[in-house]
Amino acid sequence: MSVAVLAGIGALGGLGAIARLLLDGLVSARAGRLLPWGTLAVNVSGALALGALDGAAVGGDALRLAGTGFLGAYTTFSTWMLETHRLAEDGRGRPALTNVAVSLAAGLAAAWFGREIGAGL
């Protein structure tokens, strides 16, 4: 991997993190606090985009830049698990389980749908 690609991954990672912050904040401000809707929106849209890259057979440096750089920083497993843990810790077991189930189902469906979209390009 070249230094330029490595620098590009870092730069796109920064942009991905900013995009995550903005979308999470926008959705969370409008959707309420029953579930961490902002994180769900980020992770599902990231799964859709990564599925589209895979379906379009994007590889090599382009995949490293878009998939690892931007989408790797954009999506967030750790925040999803922390928010789920906090729900359970606060005695909100049903919303915690709902968060896990909805996130997994929607993420898998989005990745599949993204692959279909990407394959059609």
Side-chain angles (χ1 to χ4, degrees), residues 46-61:
L48 178 76
L50 196 54
L53 290 174
D54 183 58
V58 173
D61 288 343

Side-chain angles (χ1 to χ4, degrees), residues 13-113:
L15 292 175
I18 291 168
R20 176 181 73 214
L21 176 72
L22 294 174
L23 180 60
D24 186 353
L26 180 71
V27 171
S28 294
R30 288 172 172 72
R33 297 285 178 202
L34 179 64
L35 291 175
W37 296 109
T39 300
L40 178 66
V42 164
N43 286 340
V44 171
S45 62
L48 178 76
L50 196 54
L53 290 174
D54 183 58
V58 173
D61 288 343
L63 183 59
R64 287 182 189 96
L65 290 165
T68 302
F70 185 82
L71 292 172
Y74 175 71
T75 58
T76 175
F77 178 82
S78 58
T79 300
W80 171 51
M81 283 292 97
L82 178 62
E83 290 170 340
T84 302
H85 178 72
R86 283 183 179 160
L87 287 169
E89 240 182 8
D90 291 344
R92 300 178 61 211
R94 185 167 287 156
L97 289 174
T98 300
N99 191 44
V100 170
V102 168
S103 293
L104 287 173
L108 287 170
W112 173 83
F113 189 56

